[in-house]
Amino acid sequence: MENQEHQEIILRGIGGSPGICIGKAYLVDKEGVDVVKKYVIRDESRSAEVGRFKTAVKKARTALRRIIDTTPEELRQHTQILETHMLLLEDKMLYDRTIDVIETERVNAEWALKKVVSLVKPIFENMSDDYLKQRAEDITHVSDRIMENLVGADLVDIGRIDKRVILVARDLSPAETSQIQLERIKGFVTNRGSRASHTSIIARTLEIPAVLGVGNATLKIKNDDIIIVDGETGIVVVNPTEKTLLETEERREQYEIQKALMARKSHLPARTKDGVRISVMGNIELPEEVVSVLDHGGDGIGLYRTEFQYLSRPDFPTEEMLFDNYKGVVDVMGDRPVTIRTLDINGDKAVNYIRDSHELNPALGLRAIRYCLQKPDIFKTQLRAILRAAAFGEVRILVPMISGIEEVEQTIDLLDEAAQCLEQQGVAHKRDIPLGIMIEVPSAVVTADILAEKVDFFSIGTNDLIQYTLAIDRGNRHVAHLHQPLHPAILRMIKRTCDVGREKGIKTYMCGEMAGEPLFAPILLGLGVDELSMNPQAIPLVKNAIRSINTADLRDFMDVVMRKTTADEVQELVERHFGTVVSHIEPEQQEQ
Ligand code: PEP
Ligand code: MG
C-alpha cells in the first residue's frame, strides 16, 4: 500500500492569479501572532503599556516605509495599498481605541488591540461592497504587523528566501506579496483571501500563479512537499503522482505557449473572422491602472469608477482634485475614449463622512444618481471637473443606476448649468461630449426606448443588472450560485437593450464582469453588444476570443441560445460550440 505520507491530495481554493507551477512547498508560519493572552496591568503601568503599544506602531510604520521605498518600479502602483496601511496604523478607529481600551480596562496592549480589531473588522466584513469588504483584510494585515512587534514574533522576510519554492501561508499581506522575488518564488497558496483581494491583484500583476482561500493549506501541506498550483482552476495538488506530474507539465507548457501568443497579439485590433471590429476597453478604479489597460492592449477606458477617489478620504474632494485626476487619465489615453462614470456612492459603497447614509436596504436606497440629484452641489462639482477634463481628450460621461427618464433630464439640466457657469467664468471646457447611461436597473431596460431619445449610448452593467433582475444581493455568498449572467432573463434584457439601441441609432456597450469572460464573447456579439470593457488582464483573452468568431455564424447559434430555458443549458451550448476556439490561439494566426 502507498505510504499515507506521500499520497496525492487535492485541495480546492479560489484561482487568484492564473498559470500553473510545480515545485517544493515553503511554509511561512505566523501562528504565534494569533495566540494572545489577556492580563490586567497595574494602574501605574498604564502609561508604560500605552508606550509599548505606540513603539510597536512606530516600528510597524518604519518597516512599511522601508518596504514602500524599496518596492521595485513595476510594482510601484501597488504601494498605494501600503500607504493606506500606513494611514490605518494611526487611524482613530484602531490607534485611539486601542489606547482607550488599555487605559480604561487596564489590560495588556496585545489584548486591547485584539479586542478593538474584533470590533472594527465586522463593520467592514458586513459591507456588501466587495472593495470595502477587502478593507477588513487590510485591518488584519495592519494589526498583525503591530502584534508581531508587541509579541516579538519574527516578521516573515519573504525577500530573503533563497530557494526556488512555492510559498504556503495562512495569509500574505499585499506588503509581503510585493516583496516576492520572481526568480525565487514560483507561486503561492494561502488559507485565506479571495479573488478581489489586493494580494491576488498583485499576484496577477506579477503574473505568478496563486490559489487563495484554500482553508487548510498550512495544515495539509508540509515543508518540502512537492505541490502543483493551478491558478486558473484554483486547485492545489500535494504529492502528485508521476502521471499527474506529466499531465500537468504538458498543460503548463500549453498554457505558456498560448499566453505568449495572446500577449503578442493583444496590441492589434480585435476583428472577427469576417472583419467586424470590436473595441475592447479597460475598467479602472484608480488613475494608475490606466497603464495596465494600455499594456494589455486596451482600446480605451470603458468604465472609470470615480467613487474610489471619494472613498479613501476624510472629506469630499475638490473640483481641482477631481479635474487633475481626470485630466491625468485623459492625458495618458491620448485620443482613445475615456468613459468617466459619475459618482456611484452609497448603497454598497458607503462613504464614512456622509453621516446620514445608514439605510436598512442600501442596494435599493439613495445610491448613485439618486444621491447626486439630491446633492446638486456635490454633483455639479464633479460635472464641472469632467467637462474641464473633456477639453483635453475623448471623454464620455456615464451615469449609473438610471431608473427613469426624469433622472436623465435632471442630469442634462445640471450639465448645462455647469457648462454655462464654466463659460461665464472663462474656464476651458467641452460641453459637447457623449452622454451615456448605465443599464443596470430593470426599469431602464423596459423603458430603453424612452431613455434612448435623450442619451448617446447605453452601457450595460451586468453586476447590478443581475442583482436587481434576479433579486440576488451581489455581495452575499449564500446566493452567489444564483448570480447567473447566462440566465434567460438576463440574455433577454441584453437583447432588448441592444435592439432598442440599434433602432434608435445609439451604441450599446457592456462594462459589467460578464464582458470579461472570453467564453461569453460569442453570445454578447450575437446579442448585438457593440463594445466590451473589462479588467485589464482579461483584454488579451477577450480579443483573442473575438478573433475566433465569425459573426455570420452567430445568427443560427443565437436562435438556439434564446430558446434555452436555463443558464446551465446556455453554458453547455456555448462551451460545446466555442469552448475550444475562444481559449485557443493558433501559432499561424499570429500575424493576422
Ligand atoms: C455593474 O453594475 O455591472 C457595473 C459595472 O458597475 P459596478 O460594478 O461599479 O456597480
Ligand atoms: Mg453597477
Side-chain angles (χ1 to χ4, degrees):
M1 199 182 107
E2 206 175 342
N3 182 348
Q4 276 282 115
E5 286 272 293
H6 292 287
Q7 243 177 17
E8 179 173 292
I9 308 171
I10 295 185
L11 305 174
R12 284 172 211 282
I14 297 155
S17 172
I20 300 168
C21 63
I22 307 171
K24 275 192 179 173
Y26 183 99
L27 255 80
V28 175
D29 189 8
K30 291 195 287 182
E31 300 292 337
V33 169
D34 267 6
V35 191
V36 170
K37 291 204 172 66
K38 177 183 182 180
Y39 55 90
V40 175
I41 49 171
R42 290 194 306 269
D43 263 355
E44 59 274 26
S45 305
R46 272 187 292 186
S47 64
E49 195 62 13
V50 169
R52 203 164 70 81
F53 173 68
K54 287 184 176 171
T55 309
V57 173
K58 207 165 150 196
K59 270 174 85 177
R61 196 173 344 112
T62 312
L64 269 177
R65 177 50 56 205
R66 189 179 54 80
I67 293 173
I68 293 170
D69 292 344
T70 57
T71 297
E73 204 50 49
E74 64 274 21
L75 290 174
R76 271 288 148 85
Q77 52 168 319
H78 292 296
T79 52
Q80 186 149 2
I81 305 154
L82 307 185
E83 299 281 3
T84 313
H85 286 187
M86 294 271 280
L87 292 179
L88 264 178
L89 276 173
E90 291 187 359
D91 190 278
K92 275 201 182 69
M93 266 197 314
L94 207 65
Y95 189 80
D96 290 4
R97 279 174 83 173
T98 305
I99 294 176
D100 203 44
V101 172
I102 298 173
E103 285 178 337
T104 53
E105 299 183 22
R106 290 201 291 124
V107 288
N108 54 321
E110 291 88 342
W111 189 260
L113 176 63
K114 191 176 165 171
K115 176 173 175 176
V116 170
V117 169
S118 69
L119 294 173
V120 172
K121 252 181 80 177
I123 301 177
F124 285 90
E125 277 167 351
N126 290 331
M127 290 177 175
S128 49
D129 179 74
D130 263 357
Y131 181 84
L132 291 175
K133 218 178 249 188
Q134 301 304 328
R135 303 292 65 74
E137 273 181 37
D138 292 332
I139 304 241
T140 310
H141 294 312
V142 166
S143 64
D144 274 359
R145 235 165 222 291
I146 306 173
M147 197 67 92
E148 275 154 358
N149 293 331
L150 283 172
V151 300
D154 278 344
L155 273 178
V156 186
D157 199 345
I158 286 168
R160 295 236 170 96
I161 296 173
D162 60 354
K163 319 178 210 173
R164 284 279 287 158
V165 288
I166 298 174
L167 286 185
V168 180
R170 291 193 316 138
D171 198 9
L172 283 180
S173 68
E176 287 161 346
T177 315
S178 67
Q179 284 176 287
I180 284 179
Q181 314 238 344
L182 288 177
E183 68 279 10
R184 308 246 171 81
I185 295 182
K186 296 178 165 186
F188 66 84
V189 181
T190 56
N191 291 358
R192 297 198 210 140
S194 67
R195 220 187 118 69
S197 67
H198 282 122
T199 300
S200 79
I201 293 172
I202 294 177
R204 289 199 286 275
T205 307
L206 286 169
E207 299 190 27
I208 60 170
V211 174
L212 288 79
V214 176
N216 55 0
T218 49
L219 290 178
K220 296 278 181 188
I221 305 173
K222 291 189 291 306
N223 251 333
D224 291 338
D225 273 351
I226 300 288
I227 60 174
I228 297 171
V229 176
D230 186 337
E232 186 74 42
T233 57
I235 285 179
V236 178
V237 186
V238 190
N239 297 323
T241 60
E242 200 65 26
K243 183 167 167 275
T244 311
L245 275 173
L246 281 173
E247 282 166 5
T248 308
E249 193 52 54
E250 223 165 83
R251 269 195 311 123
R252 198 182 65 78
E253 264 172 37
Q254 277 309 316
Y255 174 84
E256 295 301 334
I257 293 170
Q258 294 286 313
K259 196 172 117 184
L261 290 175
M262 284 189 201
R264 280 178 64 176
K265 291 187 70 191
S266 68
H267 291 270
L268 300 175
R271 279 186 212 287
T272 61
K273 280 194 163 140
D274 49 337
V276 181
R277 165 93 201 260
I278 305 285
S279 291
V280 182
M281 319 273 275
N283 292 352
I284 60 167
E285 279 85 42
L286 298 167
E288 300 84 78
E289 289 162 354
V290 170
V291 180
S292 180
V293 173
L294 289 177
D295 282 352
H296 287 89
D299 297 314
I301 306 293
L303 171 66
Y304 179 9
R305 292 181 163 105
T306 58
E307 50 277 8
F308 287 85
Q309 204 190 350
Y310 290 68
L311 297 180
S312 55
R313 299 177 36 79
D315 202 352
F316 286 102
T318 62
E319 177 183 322
E320 228 36 53
M321 286 174 187
L322 297 173
F323 168 66
D324 285 348
N325 181 304
Y326 304 156
K327 181 170 179 297
V329 174
V330 169
D331 282 347
V332 178
M333 293 310 284
D335 57 4
R336 298 178 178 88
V338 174
T339 314
I340 304 181
R341 181 174 74 181
T342 61
L343 198 50
D344 186 0
I345 45 168
N346 275 353
D348 54 354
K349 292 175 205 137
V351 174
N352 53 17
Y353 47 86
I354 301 178
R355 302 266 168 252
D356 53 357
S357 67
H358 183 75
E359 294 177 295
L360 272 182
N361 206 345
L364 305 181
L366 195 62
R367 175 185 168 186
I369 190 61
R370 303 170 179 185
Y371 174 82
C372 288
L373 292 176
Q374 286 223 347
K375 306 278 179 194
D377 289 345
I378 291 166
F379 196 23
K380 255 195 283 178
T381 303
Q382 184 179 38
L383 296 179
R384 281 173 61 102
I386 297 174
L387 294 178
R388 285 175 60 192
F392 297 88
E394 289 304 310
V395 171
R396 303 167 177 169
I397 188 164
L398 177 61
V399 189
M401 221 194 162
I402 289 289
S403 60
I405 189 71
E406 301 92 328
E407 289 161 340
V408 180
E409 287 165 348
Q410 287 172 41
T411 302
I412 293 173
D413 288 347
L414 287 172
L415 268 168
D416 288 340
E417 266 179 48
Q420 264 165 25
C421 242
L422 288 167
E423 190 69 50
Q424 279 159 11
Q425 293 163 347
V427 181
H429 68 283
K430 186 173 169 197
R431 170 64 186 93
D432 188 19
I433 56 174
L435 169 69
I437 53 170
M438 297 278 297
I439 298 290
E440 49 186 355
V441 176
S443 63
V445 178
V446 178
T447 60
D449 51 328
I450 302 172
L451 299 170
E453 299 291 341
K454 299 276 177 183
V455 300
D456 304 302
F457 66 94
F458 291 145
S459 185
I460 304 178
T462 47
N463 309 339
D464 278 313
L465 187 61
I466 296 171
Q467 151 160 283
Y468 295 127
T469 304
L470 304 181
I472 287 154
D473 176 351
R474 61 192 265 192
N476 181 340
R477 70 187 170 87
H478 300 294
V479 287
H481 63 288
L482 298 173
H483 195 93
Q484 297 169 326
L486 299 180
H487 190 293
I490 302 302
L491 298 185
R492 288 172 195 204
M493 293 240 171
I494 299 171
K495 182 170 186 324
R496 170 168 165 82
T497 309
C498 296
D499 288 352
V500 171
R502 202 170 313 110
E503 237 167 68
K504 300 280 181 182
I506 67 170
K507 298 268 188 212
T508 300
Y509 310 145
M510 179 178 284
C511 62
E513 290 300 303
M514 185 178 187
E517 170 54 60
L519 186 65
F520 298 163
I523 294 186
L524 298 179
L525 265 51
L527 288 170
V529 179
D530 295 293
E531 176 184 293
L532 302 170
S533 190
M534 60 210 64
N535 73 68
Q537 290 77 12
I539 293 171
L541 311 183
V542 172
K543 279 190 161 184
N544 179 62
I546 291 170
R547 293 187 188 113
S548 71
I549 297 167
N550 191 335
T551 57
D553 299 339
L554 291 178
R555 201 163 309 131
D556 289 346
F557 172 68
M558 288 312 294
D559 281 347
V560 187
V561 167
M562 296 312 277
R563 281 202 304 271
K564 295 290 173 198
T565 55
T566 67
D568 283 350
E569 282 171 23
V570 180
Q571 174 86 25
E572 196 268 323
L573 184 72
V574 70
E575 267 173 18
R576 184 149 40 86
H577 276 258
F578 293 96
T580 355
V581 282
V582 297
S583 58
H584 188 72
I585 181 169
E586 292 298 337
E588 62 271 22
Q589 286 180 358
Q590 282 174 61
E591 312 307 337
Q592 182 189 309

